[in-house]
Amino acid sequence: MSSSSYTLNRRQSPPSLVVAAASCAVRGALRPFLRRKGIDFIAILNVAEGTSDYYRRAVSLLIRDPIPVDEDCNEIAIVMAVPDGPPDARAIYDRFRYARQIVLVTERMENIPSELKAAADVIAEIPSPSADHYMAASRVAKVRGMTPEIASLLTGFSFDAIASTVRSTRPLLSAVRQLKKSIVEAEKFAPAAVKPKGPRLEEMAGYGAAKTWGLQLADDLRAWKAGEISWEDVDRGALLHGPPGCGKTTYAQALANSCDVDLVVASAARWQAKGHLGDYLKAMRAAFSQAKKQSPSILFIDECDSFGDRDRGGDDDHRDYRRQVINGLLECLDPAEGREGVVVVGATNNPSVIDRALLRPGRLETLIEIPLPDAAARVAILRHHLRDPSFENDLARFVSATRGWSGADIEKLARDARRLSRRRKVALSEDILLEVMPKRYVLSASELRHTAVHEAGHAIVAVVLACDVLKHVHIDRDAALGVGAQSVGMTVFEPEVGRVKTVSYYDDRIAMLLGGIAAETVVYGCHADGAGGAPSSDLVLASDIATKLERHFGFGEVLSVELGKGDRPLEYLRDRDPDLRSLVDARLKTQFDRAVALLSERRQELDHLTETLVDKGHVNGDEVRALLGAKAMNTESASVRT
C-alpha cells in the first residue's frame, strides 16, 4: 500500500516549475546512475547560492525508491542539502551510513569534508536551467502557455523569484508581466555610472609611465570623439600593477576625469558576491554592458589577480571554475562585435598570476607599473592632500621619514595632520606631520654599522665584478616602531643596456646579491637575518636567478626548460625537485664563497666605505668606483634592498 500511495501522490501533485526545471538541469550529472535501477552511488552536486533546497527536492523526484527503507527500516535513498557553515563530517556520515543512493547538495564545495569528496562517485557543478529545461519542466509541472520566449526570459531570474511569481493559481502570462515589471523597478534603482569627482591626471604626482599613458589615451579619446581617428587607433586597455596603496583606484578616477568620460568600477569580488558561477558571469557581463551604455567610458576592474591563471594547479573543481570565469572575461574583453567606446583598465598587486591570454593585444594589452613614489612625488602627494596653499615647509624630515611609503600612507598622514591642526587650532607644520607619524627609533651604533657593512658589501662586489653599474648606496639612521620587516639600507644599480648575458653575468649577479651577507661574514664572522624572509630579499632573488640558470636558460646540467606554475613558479620547481634544490644551493654557496674571498682581499676598502656610510649615510657610485679604482659605466635602474 505504501508503494501505491507514494506513486499516486506524485501523480496527483506535480512538482513546481522551478523544481521540475532543476530536475532537468541535474539529470545529466546523475544519468549514469538513473539508467541502472538500484545501483549504489554517492554524488555531490555544487549548486548556485540560494538554490540548494530546490535542487534537493528535484533530486528526490529522480532517485527516491518506491520502497524508501530496507528490511531494517534504514533509508535506502538519501538526498541531503549540506548546511552552510563549518562541515561536520560525522553528522553527515551518521545520516547516510546505511543508504545505497546518496546525493549531497551544497552551495559551497568547501563545506563538504574532504573524506566525503574522496568517497564520491561523481562531483558535479550544476548549471542554471536553460530555456529548454524550462520548456520541458512546463510539461512536467503542467504549466500551460509556455513558449520559447518566456522560457528564455525565465533563465534571467532566480528560483525564488520564479517560485513566488509562477503559481498554479495565476495564469502564466500574468506571472510574466510581474517578472518584467520587477526588471523595470530594479533598473530604476540600479546605480548608473557618473563622471567621477576629484582631481585630473594632470594634477597627480608619482604615477610615472602610467600618467604618460593616461594622458596619451585622453588625447586619443578626444580625437576619436571628434571623428579625427577611428577606434582602431585607440588603446583598448591596460593592466596597472604595483604594491598595495600606490593609488591604482585613484588613478582610474583621475584618468576618467582627464578623458572626460564616465567611470564604471568593478572587481572580481563584487561580481562573485552576486552568487554562484552563473550569477558571477551575469554580473561580469552586466558591468561590460553598463560601460557600453555609458560609452565612451572607462571600465576599471580591480583585483585582477583574483581571476587567476587557467594553468595553475588545484583540484579539478577549482580549475574548471577558474577556466569558466577567465573564458567569460575573455569573451567580454574581446567580443565578436567589438567594444567600441569602452577602455578597460585592470589593477593588480601581482601581475605574475594573471592568465597570459588576458594580456594579449585588444585586451589588457599594456602592462604599466605604478611604483612607490620617490621623494619629489611624496612631497607633491602630501601637498595635494593637505589642501593648504600656505603650507611652505621644506619637508626634509618628512622626505627622510617616509621613504618606502605609498600614496595611501601619505593621504592618511595628511588627514591625521589636518585633524590635529584643527583640534589645536594651529597652522599646519612639519612638526605636526612628524607628531602624527608612526613613532620611530634611532638605530643603535651596532645596528647602523651592521647595515653599513651589508650595503658596502653589495656595492664593492658589484663594482669589482662590473655586473651592473652602481648609482648610490644609502642607509637610514632610524626605523619605524611596530612595523615588521623593513628596509633600512639600499644599494641602487643601473643594469647595462645591450649587454649579452652569459652564465658569468648571472653568477656575478648572484655574488653581488650575496655580497651583503658575505661582508657581514668577513667583518663579524656570521651574518644576520636581514637578507631573507621576504619575496624581494637578497636570498630569494639569488635563489630565483640560480633556478633560472638551471631550468630556464640552459646553463645547468640540462638544456630542457621548465617554467613552473602558480604564484611562485621558481619556488614550485625547487619544491618538487630535490636535485634542483641541491644544484641551486651549490651555486649559491660557490658565489657566496667567491664574494667572501673578494671582500677579504679588499678589507681596507670595505672598512673605509662602511665608515663613510656610517658618517654620511649616502655615497654615490662614482665615490665607490674612485675608492676601488674602477671605471664608471652608464645603464638602467634596479635596486637591491636589505
Side-chain angles (χ1 to χ4, degrees):
M1 288 296 294
S2 62
S3 173
S4 299
S5 173
Y6 178 75
T7 305
L8 181 62
N9 286 339
R10 286 180 61 184
R11 287 200 193 99
Q12 291 177 344
S13 302
S16 68
L17 179 66
V18 167
V19 172
S23 178
C24 293
V26 84
R27 187 183 296 274
L30 299 179
R31 185 170 287 115
F33 311 112
L34 300 176
R35 286 173 176 168
R36 297 174 56 190
K37 191 170 181 63
I39 187 174
D40 294 357
F41 68 90
I42 299 177
I44 299 175
L45 307 181
N46 192 12
V47 301
E49 187 174 347
T51 65
S52 58
D53 187 60
Y54 294 104
Y55 279 105
R56 178 188 60 77
R57 286 182 277 162
V59 174
S60 295
L61 290 175
L62 296 174
I63 76 161
R64 290 300 292 251
D65 194 286
I67 304 175
V69 296
D70 62 14
E71 60 274 11
D72 296 319
C73 294
N74 297 309
E75 289 183 277
I76 294 173
I78 298 286
V79 182
M80 180 179 178
V82 178
D84 202 0
D88 185 345
R90 173 53 58 184
I92 297 174
Y93 175 73
D94 288 344
R95 174 79 169 81
F96 67 65
R97 67 167 69 184
Y98 299 110
R100 299 173 189 168
Q101 298 178 335
I102 302 157
V103 180
L104 301 179
V105 180
T106 182
E107 297 173 12
R108 298 181 181 275
M109 283 301 295
E110 60 267 28
N111 290 339
I112 300 293
S114 57
E115 304 93 328
L116 298 183
K117 290 181 183 178
D121 296 290
V122 63
I123 299 177
E125 185 166 333
I126 306 303
S128 299
S130 65
D132 288 341
H133 290 152
Y134 280 107
M135 288 296 295
S138 67
R139 295 190 289 271
V140 176
K142 302 190 182 307
V143 174
R144 294 186 177 90
M146 183 66 68
T147 66
E149 292 75 19
I150 294 175
S152 179
L153 175 72
L154 293 178
T155 61
F157 290 91
S158 68
F159 280 180
D160 287 340
I162 298 172
S164 61
T165 309
V166 180
R167 301 193 297 269
S168 59
T169 57
R170 169 185 284 170
L172 181 59
L173 288 178
S174 175
V176 169
R177 281 195 294 270
Q178 288 297 110
L179 290 171
K180 288 180 177 179
K181 183 179 178 182
S182 71
I183 296 176
V184 174
E185 291 297 319
E187 287 179 346
K188 287 181 182 178
F189 298 99
V194 295
K195 288 183 172 60
K197 298 178 180 179
R200 298 169 65 86
L201 195 55
E202 293 89 336
E203 305 165 24
M204 306 298 289
Y207 283 110
K211 182 174 182 178
T212 302
W213 178 84
L215 294 177
Q216 290 174 348
L217 177 66
D219 289 340
D220 288 344
L221 284 174
R222 277 191 287 271
W224 172 73
K225 285 188 282 187
E228 298 169 4
I229 63 174
S230 68
W231 183 249
E232 285 69 27
D233 294 323
V234 180
D235 282 353
R236 304 296 191 279
L239 179 67
L240 309 174
H241 66 95
C246 66
K248 295 183 284 291
T249 304
T250 303
Y251 172 87
Q253 295 169 340
L255 175 63
N257 283 332
S258 291
C259 295
D260 193 28
V261 299
D262 291 337
L263 177 69
V264 178
V265 179
S267 70
R270 292 189 188 194
W271 292 339
Q272 195 168 35
K274 298 297 183 181
H276 195 58
L277 177 62
D279 300 312
Y280 187 159
L281 295 175
K282 286 180 184 177
M284 179 190 297
R285 295 186 187 105
F288 277 84
S289 176
Q290 182 182 359
K292 185 67 175 176
K293 284 182 182 178
Q294 303 294 133
S295 170
S297 66
I298 291 173
L299 173 58
F300 177 67
I301 306 176
D302 206 357
E303 306 164 355
C304 282
D305 46 302
S306 299
F307 298 117
D309 186 339
R310 290 170 296 181
D311 294 331
R312 288 177 61 191
D315 58 42
D316 291 339
D317 291 323
H318 286 97
R319 275 199 302 271
D320 185 62
Y321 186 90
R322 276 199 306 270
R323 178 181 58 79
Q324 294 189 64
V325 168
I326 293 173
N327 286 347
L329 182 56
L330 290 173
E331 290 177 11
C332 292
L333 285 171
D334 197 9
E337 69 277 10
R339 52 176 169 87
E340 183 169 350
V342 178
V343 176
V344 180
V345 177
T348 179
N349 297 331
N350 185 7
S352 66
V353 301
I354 303 293
D355 192 289
R356 296 296 97 185
L358 295 173
L359 306 180
R360 290 177 187 157
R363 299 165 185 171
L364 302 177
E365 57 190 7
T366 304
L367 192 63
I368 306 174
E369 181 180 10
I370 299 181
L372 290 173
D374 60 15
R378 293 199 300 278
V379 171
I381 293 169
L382 176 69
R383 292 190 185 280
H384 170 77
H385 289 299
L386 284 177
R387 302 197 296 268
D388 185 353
S390 65
F391 186 80
E392 294 295 341
N393 293 249
D394 64 12
L395 297 175
R397 289 180 294 168
F398 161 81
V399 169
S400 175
T402 56
R403 186 178 291 107
W405 280 38
S406 69
D409 295 329
I410 298 171
E411 181 183 3
K412 182 180 184 304
L413 172 66
R415 188 166 61 247
D416 292 342
R418 292 198 309 270
R419 182 184 300 114
L420 184 60
S421 172
R422 289 194 306 270
R423 288 178 178 174
R424 292 186 179 175
K425 299 181 179 179
V426 297
L428 281 168
S429 66
E430 191 174 28
D431 289 336
I432 291 287
L433 288 173
L434 295 174
E435 187 171 345
V436 297
M437 288 177 68
K439 300 302 179 185
R440 300 181 70 85
Y441 78 98
V442 177
L443 269 62
S444 66
S446 61
E447 287 177 309
L448 190 65
R449 183 170 296 278
H450 210 112
T451 302
V453 167
H454 184 101
E455 299 304 331
H458 282 311
I460 290 174
V461 172
V463 170
V464 171
L465 298 181
C467 56
D468 284 313
V469 179
L470 177 67
K471 282 191 66 179
H472 65 258
V473 191
H474 174 89
I475 63 172
D476 291 329
R477 298 186 179 277
D478 57 7
L481 282 170
V483 178
Q486 56 185 303
S487 172
V488 290
M490 181 185 296
T491 306
V492 179
F493 301 95
E494 292 184 340
E496 186 178 1
V497 174
R499 180 171 182 174
V500 177
K501 296 175 181 178
T502 62
V503 65
S504 61
Y505 167 81
Y506 289 105
D507 279 338
D508 290 347
R509 274 196 60 80
I510 293 174
M512 179 272 293
L513 286 164
L514 300 180
I517 58 174
E520 295 178 48
T521 303
V522 168
V523 175
Y524 299 108
C526 61
H527 65 82
D529 62 356
S536 60
S537 62
D538 298 341
L539 289 173
V540 172
L541 295 176
S543 298
D544 284 352
I545 291 174
T547 305
K548 289 180 179 179
L549 286 169
E550 297 291 342
R551 290 293 184 265
H552 282 193
F553 303 145
F555 291 139
E557 296 182 346
V558 296
L559 290 175
S560 60
V561 172
E562 292 182 274
L563 297 180
K565 60 177 68 175
D567 297 349
R568 291 276 304 152
L570 299 174
E571 190 173 307
Y572 168 85
L573 290 177
R574 295 193 294 269
D575 284 346
R576 64 189 288 268
D577 189 344
D579 292 335
L580 174 60
R581 285 202 303 275
S582 297
L583 291 169
V584 168
D585 194 49
R587 190 178 290 271
L588 295 182
K589 288 178 179 176
T590 297
Q591 296 308 317
F592 172 75
D593 292 340
R594 182 184 177 206
V596 168
L598 185 152
L599 291 167
S600 297
E601 293 173 2
R602 293 164 178 78
R603 176 61 189 268
Q604 185 175 350
E605 290 89 342
L606 175 62
D607 290 341
H608 185 278
L609 182 54
T610 298
E611 293 301 327
T612 305
L613 280 170
V614 170
D615 182 45
K616 296 168 55 179
H618 185 93
V619 179
N620 65 42
D622 288 340
E623 292 177 274
V624 179
R625 282 184 284 274
L627 173 66
L628 296 166
K631 185 179 178 182
M633 301 166 61
N634 291 321
T635 40
E636 302 170 22
S637 131
S639 64
V640 177
R641 297 172 182 265
T642 303

